[in-house]
Amino acid sequence: MCADKIKIDICCGTTCYLLGAADLVQLEAKLPDEWKDKVEIAAVPCLEACTTDKLGQAPFVRVNGELIPRASAEAICECLFELISGQTRGGAR
Ligand code: FES
């Protein structure tokens, strides 16, 4: 494990898994090759965001500690792009 890698925790608790996390566990295959050695992807138990009023925003993914609601491969890639390049793509996020 390398401390410099971007840590991606994909919530695989029941709620998130049923609402899309099942597809996100294939995330690494969708990443550009040059990003793959920069990230560490893990499937983790419930992040407990679903126990709050954010329940309707599942699935949740945590990227370097930042919780991403309604996570999609696109949203995660956008976040990774910002972290890797230090830039924001397409304006607001
Ligand atoms: S199942 Fe994902 S936050 Fe609870």
Side-chain angles (χ1 to χ4, degrees):
M1 185 164 104
C2 175
D4 294 327
K5 288 191 175 189
I6 297 168
K7 190 163 179 6
I8 302 172
D9 294 327
I10 298 171
C11 179
C12 285
T14 303
T15 302
C16 288
Y17 194 81
L18 293 175
L19 292 175
D23 295 331
L24 295 176
V25 294
Q26 309 295 328
L27 177 68
E28 187 170 357
K30 297 177 181 175
L31 296 178
D33 287 342
E34 62 269 23
W35 288 7
K36 290 181 180 174
D37 63 343
K38 294 181 166 83
V39 301
E40 179 182 304
I41 302 173
V44 299
C46 177
L47 294 171
E48 300 192 9
C50 67
T51 62
T52 68
D53 59 354
K54 296 178 180 171
L55 173 62
Q57 299 176 15
F60 294 96
V61 170
R62 198 168 45 200
V63 178
N64 275 359
E66 179 187 350
L67 193 66
I68 299 178
R70 296 187 181 94
S72 63
E74 293 75 20
I76 297 167
C77 284
E78 183 79 19
C79 185
L80 290 176
F81 178 81
E82 291 177 18
L83 289 170
I84 291 170
S85 71
Q87 299 175 26
T88 302
R89 202 166 33 181
R93 194 179 79 102

